[in-house]
Amino acid sequence: MTQSPAPSPVDGVEPAARASGLTKLYGAGEAAVRALDHVSVDFLRGEFTAVMGPSGSGKSTLMHCLAALDTVTEGDVVIGGTSLAGMSDKALTTLRRDQVGFVFQSFNLVPTLTARENILLPLAIAGREPDETWYDTVITAVGLADRLDHRPAELSGGQQQRVASARALVSRPSIVFADEPTGNLDSVASAEVLSFLRRSVDEFDQTVVMVTHDPLAAAYTDRVIFLADGRVVDELRHPTSDSVLARMAAIQSEAMSAPPAAPEG
Amino acid sequence: MLRVTWRNLFARKLRLLLSAFAIVLGVAFVAGSLVFTDTIDRAFDDIVSGSVSDVTVRFDGATTDENGGLIPDARSMPASLVDELAAQPGVARADGTVEGVGLFVIDSDGKLVGGQGAPTLAFNYNDAPSITGEPAVTVVEGEEPQGRDEVLLDERTAENAGYEVGDTVRMVTAGTVPELEAELVGIAEFGGGGLAGASLVLFDTPTAQQIFLGGSDVFDSIALTAEPGVSQDGLAASAEQVLPDGIEAATGDVVAAETEELVGTVLDFLNIFLLIFAAVALVVGTFLIINTFSILVAQRSRELALLRALGASRRQVTRSVLLEALVIGVVGSTLGLVLGFGLAIALRTLFGNFGLDLSGTPLVFQWTTGAIGYAVGIVVTLIAAYLPARRASRIAPVAAMRDDIALPESSLRRRMIVGVALTLLGAGMMAAGLVGEGNTGASMVGIGVLGVLLGVALMSPVLGRPVLQGLGAAYRAVFGTVGTLARENTLRNPRRTAATASALMIGLALVTTMSVLGASINKSIEVAVQEEFTTDYLVSSPTFQPFSTGIAERIRDIDGVGEVVQQQSLGSEIDGDGSFINAADGGAVAEVYDIPVVTGTLDVRRGGIAVSEQKADSLGVAVGDTVTLTFPAGDQEAEVQGVYEQSNILNDALVPLSTLAAAQIPRQDSVVSVNAAEGTSPDELGTALDDVVADLPIVTVQNQEDFTEAQRASVNTLLYLIYALLGLAIVIAVLGIVNTLALSVIERTREVGLLRAVGLSRRQLRRMVRLEAIAIAVLGAVLGIVMGLVFGVVLQQALADQGITDLAVPIWQLVLFVVVAAVVGVLAAVLPARRAAKLDVLRAITTE
Ligand SMILES: Nc1ncnc2c1ncn2[C@@H]1O[C@H](COP(=O)(O)OP(=O)(O)OP(=O)(O)O)[C@@H](O)[C@H]1O
Ligand SMILES: [Mg+2]
């Protein structure tokens, strides 16, 4: 049995997704932008993780690479025990469909389909029948049972994001990525979406990774990873909004005083 | 604003090209038709000026019937008149002309040369000059013909027939001697340049007189050449002094004008025929442009709203869109004119195959063609862009701030009302046109059809719904989610889907109309033939040329032959009303054909006539009345002795053969009906008949089956030609589908990205686009076929008394059209689908 790409049961908890030595360059030569710089990070099963960092620090890039939406320049991504390196487009599509859930900041839903059809879309595409009990659980948790026959245009932004989250979960993926899912929402709507994600981790043992700029949102998670200049610069467990805020301020000032230095390992 | 327009144009080169393509094709068709007909015009001008002499001395009276066909005229003028005229002051020379009618060259394989299209012109050879001053005919190889056994041909005819100087040329004539042979002693060149496919056959004067005028030293007409300084009018006046009554001197200008008018009628018909298809192409193209601009405006609505928010006036927004249209119009028209030139070349080749050879005449590109091409292209584009442009100007500036922009759309209800009104109006026009007469009636039907088509196109978003929903249900059942997505895509913008489908609808409606009419004509022929074709065999000319009565004589000599009935058809006027007359022994006709007589008899005596019921009604005559028949040599009174039910055998009227003799029309046959004698099987007779006509390719022997088949074949040939021309509209419609889909895919980039992100494979994505295309195409096909069926049935009913008595609906052909439409949908989706599948997932999602 080879060691690195396979899940490591040594810790007792195997990671739902793992990035090892992930580097992403945009462009080439002098003008190349190093969006990710040797990022190695594990996302453990049943954990709710927040990714934070200044604008342009590489958060979205990391999400895209982890979710098999983008190719990496160097390093490897493992999802649910499968390495993405060298996979064909077709295989990547299938992997996305079956193993990954995704929630974008906006435009998450197909406008011509109802909420229900949107939620069931990944399963329908795969030609799979939904697991009835799981589907009912998700629908109940998302709290939109009476709006399921509405089209996206007839739903509020918060409701749309909850539908998108339900869609991300309905196929029981190995991991759900959410890039600023509450970025366009007010505090009440944000709270609804975040509570739903929290419940899906606590009650249904799902794995969720979420990019956010909001310390209040980060406080819903189990663990915060801080990115700066494409590198993981810090990590915080059991965050509160105050501790997150303090850590962000620290990173900000460090970045001001000594720009491209990696503080700790 | 100007800069914004330019930016837009260049940022969307591909879309520009696609929408310009409709204009290119439409303008090309218009320009091609004009160039082609101008070229024909020029060719005939050249022929006329190269052959007409300063003054032609000829018999009074019409030399052509209503439809431009030559009526043979047996009157002739004595050779002494030629000498008298030559002696008149101002006359440089006078040349007697023998105009041979009904002669054909047979090629070395035993087939008729020409025949189908351009005529064969047989003359006595002389070197008389035309109005251009050059001899009408010069010998360019070999020598002049001398005596009974020598003949000249023009180079093209000699070449096509495979004859070289020294060979023996075979010919058939409509005169008393059916067959003829002569040595080719030289090649003649026509002074006017090309002959437009006509064949030239020249004999010396005595031989021509022998063949065509029964051997007397007489002429059909006399060509006069003026001495230097003498005008045409002066020459004519001088000639008039010695001319007897009934003979006139016509100046070259008059003769040329007459000929040109005649050619002009045919040309106008051809031009209108071609321009109708150009109009269809342009109407369909208009849909494509309206659609393209609507989508472009919708996609740019945020940008336009921003311009409005920044202070651009409504007019400026409208103008910026119209300016874009203007550029497309200009570019499209320019390319269209170039392509039109190519199309004219193609038309020339096509018509060359039908016998109209114009290779001797360069293509004529008049400035009016360019002007018309630009005017049509630009006006159509501007009209098509106006509606979307106006809508663009109505975008509220605040829309720039909103996330999803809905353009103000006219309500479907208003559209329905306008659509219904237009449809009813069109239907009314059709009805009025169908009862109306001639050209006005036909153009009213045309405009009515257009009105109905546009009305239904307007209503199509509503009419198409059930079709799309039916298809959608099938999609969902067969293709699951991908099917659902495709269905929803077709329903999300019913106007766009319907407008795209409408273009195809128009093309297919016309194709279906033609195919229903064609099938009905074929069935009617079949029924009529079965009812009326009661003889064993019919001998006739496949090219409708009259043939020598000698053929019937030979047939009578066959052993086992029964009744033989000869008929000669010709156009004439009965009481001034253009009619198609048959001359025959009425008693014999009544014996072999079962033609129901209403009153009186078919066995008309000298000075009598029998007319069809329809003709009797329209003339208001009955048995016992007297009518006037008009012939070139003068009018004749005739007593109506019988009225018969409408018949394809006898057409409008039947006269005895004696009437022809009185009208000085030479005896020829148009149709000979033959029965087997008792005791002889029709098959035996058929073999014997075939032997008789074997070396006379001018006639064919047909039994009922052969005849039906031949008729059907000629109907189908015309039908295929029309299909080919309508194919252009369908090509444009397909481009419309490609365009709409491509634009829709661009418009839905984010959605495509999202679908891919949640796991839709490239294949599934392609299938989704393909299904959408098929839905649009099938919608167009279904609507078009339904409309075409309605048009076809209505036209058949309206034309029932013109001979299209039976309705036939070619079901399988219609099913085939739907299948072809679906295939067309698949093809139209190839590029847009590939484009959608190629989209980079991440880029698509993050696109603005
Ligand atoms: N397609 C691209 N081409 C070139 N450079 C890119 C591209 N996408 C991102 N970048 C660069 O990569 C770096 C990381 O971008 P990324 O979108 O991951 O940042 P982010 O952390 O998500 O920022 P934000 O918080 O503003 O969303 C930035 O410097 C950005 O300019
Ligand atoms: Mg980002």
Side-chain angles (χ1 to χ4, degrees):
Chain A
M1 196 189 242
T2 48
Q3 214 199 339
S4 102
S8 49
V10 209
D11 316 55
V13 204
E14 62 183 54
R18 155 180 291 171
S20 37
L22 212 58
T23 298
K24 175 75 185 174
L25 291 178
Y26 284 115
E30 289 283 297
V33 177
R34 194 171 279 267
L36 292 177
D37 191 2
H38 292 96
V39 172
S40 296
V41 60
D42 282 4
F43 298 98
L44 300 187
R45 204 146 271 182
E47 225 176 25
F48 190 179
T49 310
V51 178
M52 300 191 74
S55 188
S57 55
K59 305 182 293 293
S60 296
T61 308
L62 179 62
M63 290 292 105
H64 294 153
C65 291
L66 287 170
L69 286 168
D70 206 352
T71 55
V72 303
T73 312
E74 212 178 285
D76 189 19
V77 173
V78 178
I79 304 263
T82 318
S83 165
L84 303 194
M87 264 197 182
S88 71
D89 176 78
K90 208 170 153 184
L92 286 174
T93 302
T94 313
L95 179 118
R96 270 203 308 273
R97 197 179 68 197
D98 298 340
Q99 308 256 16
V100 179
F102 215 101
V103 184
F104 302 103
Q105 184 173 349
S106 63
F107 203 86
N108 267 301
L109 305 177
V110 177
T112 50
L113 300 182
T114 63
R116 176 182 288 113
E117 287 170 329
N118 263 294
I119 291 173
L120 291 173
L121 189 57
L123 290 176
I125 289 171
R128 293 211 314 255
E129 286 299 315
D131 172 343
E132 284 298 333
T133 34
W134 174 240
Y135 173 73
D136 288 340
T137 314
V138 172
I139 294 297
T140 319
V142 85
L144 284 170
D146 53 336
R147 311 301 304 263
L148 287 176
D149 289 320
H150 291 250
R151 301 223 171 170
E154 298 158 344
L155 299 175
S156 75
Q159 288 167 335
Q160 287 183 25
Q161 289 304 76
R162 279 191 277 155
V163 171
S165 312
R167 183 198 60 209
L169 285 168
V170 80
S171 59
R172 280 182 183 274
S174 301
I175 188 163
V176 173
F177 295 102
D179 194 350
E180 301 190 49
T182 59
N184 283 2
L185 304 181
D186 69 11
S187 54
V188 179
S190 296
E192 286 170 1
V193 173
L194 290 165
S195 313
F196 173 68
L197 291 176
R198 182 72 249 173
R199 273 184 76 189
S200 66
V201 172
D202 290 345
E203 294 174 23
F204 317 134
D205 202 27
Q206 292 296 298
T207 313
V208 178
V209 182
M210 167 182 80
V211 172
T212 183
H213 285 285
D214 180 5
L216 286 172
Y220 278 81
T221 62
D222 301 316
R223 170 194 184 204
V224 181
I225 287 168
F226 292 94
L227 281 187
D229 291 324
R231 269 170 286 187
V232 179
V233 289
D234 205 350
E235 182 177 333
L236 190 68
R237 287 213 165 256
H238 311 298
T240 63
S241 57
D242 289 338
S243 63
V244 170
L245 212 56
R247 206 59 73 88
M248 276 167 69
I251 291 169
Q252 198 81 26
S253 64
E254 250 169 71
M256 296 268 192
S257 53
E264 55 180 299
Chain B
M1 284 306 274
L2 194 61
R3 175 176 275 152
V4 176
T5 307
W6 280 119
R7 282 272 162 74
N8 274 321
L9 277 172
F10 284 102
R12 298 177 168 82
K13 266 179 290 212
L14 183 72
R15 299 178 215 182
L16 177 83
L17 220 74
L18 277 172
S19 46
F21 206 78
I23 289 298
V24 172
L25 285 184
V27 170
F29 222 78
V30 172
S33 312
L34 291 175
V35 167
F36 180 62
T37 43
D38 283 343
T39 305
I40 302 181
D41 211 9
R42 163 77 57 84
F44 281 97
D45 273 357
D46 288 351
I47 291 178
V48 168
S49 60
S51 59
V52 171
S53 55
D54 291 341
V55 162
T56 304
V57 172
R58 62 184 188 185
F59 285 100
D60 286 345
T63 51
T64 56
D65 67 20
E66 229 191 13
N67 304 316
L70 273 169
I71 294 182
D73 189 343
R75 290 177 292 174
S76 56
M77 28 191 104
S80 59
L81 188 59
V82 178
D83 299 333
E84 263 179 77
L85 284 166
Q88 281 298 106
V91 177
R93 59 184 286 180
D95 299 88
T97 311
V98 178
E99 295 161 24
V101 178
L103 180 136
F104 288 94
V105 174
I106 296 175
D107 69 17
S108 43
D109 296 331
K111 296 207 184 67
L112 279 193
V113 175
Q116 293 275 3
T120 298
L121 310 168
F123 287 105
N124 57 326
Y125 170 79
N126 58 42
D127 58 358
S130 72
I131 43 179
T132 56
E134 300 290 319
V137 176
T138 42
V139 178
V140 290
E141 191 190 327
E143 53 199 44
E144 297 175 9
Q146 263 164 11
R148 176 79 210 231
D149 303 325
E150 296 189 359
V151 69
L152 292 183
L153 294 178
D154 66 286
E155 186 173 0
R156 201 194 60 97
T157 303
E159 205 171 282
N160 286 355
Y163 290 127
E164 282 173 22
V165 173
D167 290 352
T168 300
V169 177
R170 290 183 54 215
M171 288 160 279
V172 287
T173 80
T176 40
V177 194
E179 280 177 282
L180 205 62
E181 283 189 355
E183 184 194 341
L184 182 64
V185 292
I187 298 295
E189 191 182 75
F190 178 65
L195 277 161
S199 303
L200 205 55
V201 182
L202 299 165
F203 302 96
D204 75 350
T205 300
T207 307
Q209 286 170 333
Q210 182 73 42
I211 299 171
F212 301 109
L213 295 171
S216 349
D217 190 12
V218 293
F219 295 101
D220 290 303
S221 62
I222 299 167
L224 300 184
T225 307
E227 275 174 354
V230 177
S231 71
Q232 288 187 3
D233 287 328
L235 181 63
S238 167
E240 287 285 2
Q241 287 167 356
V242 292
L243 291 184
D245 272 356
I247 296 184
E248 63 172 4
T251 61
D253 293 344
V254 168
V255 175
E258 281 172 8
T259 317
E260 266 153 34
E261 197 186 335
L262 208 70
V263 173
T265 325
V266 180
L267 275 188
D268 282 349
F269 177 77
L270 188 64
N271 217 343
I272 289 170
F273 180 77
L274 291 173
L275 287 178
I276 283 174
F277 292 99
V280 170
L282 280 169
V283 167
V284 173
T286 307
F287 274 85
L288 172 50
I289 297 168
I290 293 180
N291 227 11
T292 308
F293 271 90
S294 300
I295 300 173
L296 290 182
V297 164
Q299 288 177 358
R300 274 168 50 199
S301 49
R302 189 192 299 265
E303 175 195 323
L304 293 171
L306 189 65
L307 287 173
R308 291 274 284 128
L310 295 178
S313 72
R314 282 188 171 194
R315 268 187 55 193
Q316 280 175 307
V317 170
T318 313
R319 224 186 292 153
S320 108
V321 174
L322 283 182
L323 198 63
E324 217 175 304
L326 182 70
V327 175
I328 291 181
V330 171
V331 172
S333 306
T334 310
L335 293 177
L337 285 172
V338 174
L339 190 65
F341 211 72
L343 203 66
I345 295 175
L347 280 173
R348 188 166 68 172
T349 315
L350 179 74
F351 279 78
N353 286 336
F354 288 112
L356 182 65
D357 184 352
L358 295 176
S359 50
T361 314
L363 287 179
V364 178
F365 193 91
Q366 286 181 349
W367 69 267
T368 45
T369 303
I372 292 173
Y374 274 114
V376 164
I378 291 170
V379 168
V380 165
T381 319
L382 286 182
I383 290 175
Y386 178 70
L387 290 176
R390 215 182 48 166
R391 197 172 324 139
S393 74
R394 293 228 199 93
I395 296 170
V398 69
M401 285 39 155
R402 281 212 303 264
D403 209 27
D404 50 338
I405 300 181
L407 275 177
E409 296 257 19
S410 66
S411 77
L412 273 182
R413 220 179 111 207
R414 217 179 74 196
R415 247 177 112 112
M416 276 303 277
I417 294 171
V418 178
V420 169
L422 208 57
T423 308
L424 291 178
L425 211 74
M429 288 278 277
M430 270 179 75
L434 287 173
V435 271
E437 284 277 304
N439 274 342
T440 19
S443 43
M444 271 173 87
V445 172
I447 295 171
V449 165
L450 185 69
V452 173
L453 284 172
L454 292 181
V456 172
L458 276 177
M459 293 190 282
S460 58
V462 176
L463 296 181
R465 245 194 126 71
V467 179
L468 288 177
Q469 258 153 0
L471 263 179
Y475 277 5
R476 186 177 210 140
V478 180
F479 298 103
T481 304
V482 175
T484 310
L485 285 169
R487 184 193 70 166
E488 294 301 327
N489 284 341
T490 58
L491 288 174
R492 80 160 80 185
N493 198 332
R495 281 180 190 74
R496 186 184 298 179
T497 306
T500 312
S502 292
L504 193 61
M505 172 190 86
I506 293 177
L508 271 181
L510 297 175
V511 167
T512 304
T513 308
M514 292 321 300
S515 80
V516 170
L517 269 186
S520 297
I521 292 173
N522 276 333
K523 184 167 174 205
S524 305
I525 289 174
E526 211 168 298
V527 169
V529 166
Q530 256 165 22
E531 255 172 36
E532 299 189 11
F533 194 124
T534 47
T535 55
D536 290 333
Y537 289 98
L538 208 61
V539 179
S540 62
S541 156
T543 58
F544 308 107
Q545 305 290 341
F547 48 88
S548 165
T549 51
I551 294 175
E553 297 313 321
R554 291 198 202 169
I555 291 171
R556 284 184 210 278
D557 290 344
I558 298 176
D559 282 343
V561 81
E563 296 100 337
V564 176
V565 181
Q566 292 165 262
Q567 267 174 268
Q568 181 166 3
S569 321
L570 65 155
S572 174
E573 287 176 7
I574 306 178
D575 283 352
D577 186 21
S579 307
F580 196 44
I581 301 188
N582 270 279
D585 172 352
V589 171
E591 211 166 289
V592 293
Y593 289 111
D594 182 23
I595 298 166
V597 177
V598 183
T599 46
T601 175
L602 280 183
D603 191 7
V604 284
R605 294 164 318 249
R606 176 177 286 274
I609 186 172
V611 293
S612 72
E613 206 174 1
Q614 207 180 19
K615 202 75 195 175
D617 284 349
S618 76
L619 291 173
V621 297
V623 171
D625 292 347
T626 303
V627 294
T628 308
L629 296 174
T630 309
F631 294 109
D635 290 354
Q636 278 185 44
E637 302 275 289
E639 186 203 346
V640 178
Q641 294 175 348
V643 175
Y644 52 86
E645 279 182 21
Q646 195 57 34
S647 147
N648 290 303
I649 313 259
L650 292 182
N651 306 103
D652 294 330
L654 170 71
V655 295
L657 292 167
S658 53
T659 306
L660 292 185
Q664 302 200 42
I665 294 172
R667 243 330 252 125
Q668 296 165 350
D669 278 334
S670 304
V671 172
V672 177
S673 313
V674 187
N675 267 340
E678 221 140 314
T680 310
S681 78
D683 284 347
E684 268 174 66
L685 175 63
T687 319
L689 281 172
D690 283 339
D691 283 346
V692 168
V693 302
D695 42 347
L696 292 169
I698 192 162
V699 291
T700 53
V701 174
Q702 293 167 318
N703 60 18
Q704 207 186 64
E705 221 169 279
D706 303 334
F707 185 77
T708 312
E709 204 40 60
Q711 298 286 314
R712 197 197 303 263
S714 63
V715 171
N716 288 345
T717 306
L718 184 64
L719 215 53
Y720 292 145
L721 179 69
I722 292 177
Y723 285 164
L725 292 169
L726 284 175
L728 188 80
I730 290 177
V731 167
I732 297 181
V734 173
L735 282 174
I737 299 179
V738 176
N739 208 11
T740 303
L741 282 180
L743 292 174
S744 295
V745 165
I746 295 170
E747 190 175 55
R748 294 185 211 138
T749 299
R750 281 184 78 164
E751 191 179 323
V752 168
L754 175 68
L755 287 168
R756 292 274 289 127
V758 299
L760 196 71
S761 69
R762 290 213 157 105
R763 223 177 125 148
Q764 287 172 312
L765 188 63
R766 278 198 297 265
R767 181 178 296 160
M768 182 184 89
V769 177
R770 208 179 302 134
L771 287 176
E772 191 178 342
I774 293 175
I776 295 174
V778 169
L779 173 64
V782 169
L783 289 179
I785 286 171
V786 169
M787 294 192 55
L789 271 175
V790 173
F791 289 155
V793 172
V794 167
L795 286 176
Q796 182 273 322
Q797 295 293 330
L799 297 174
D801 56 356
Q802 311 256 336
I804 311 183
T805 46
D806 294 75
L807 176 68
V809 176
I811 304 268
W812 287 111
Q813 212 170 336
L814 301 186
V815 171
L816 183 75
F817 289 162
V818 178
V819 174
V820 169
V823 173
V824 156
V826 172
L827 293 180
V830 168
L831 285 178
R834 188 182 296 167
R835 190 176 179 139
K838 261 210 219 138
L839 279 178
D840 181 79
V841 183
L842 253 191
R843 284 247 188 90
I845 293 170
T846 50
T847 191
E848 261 310 305

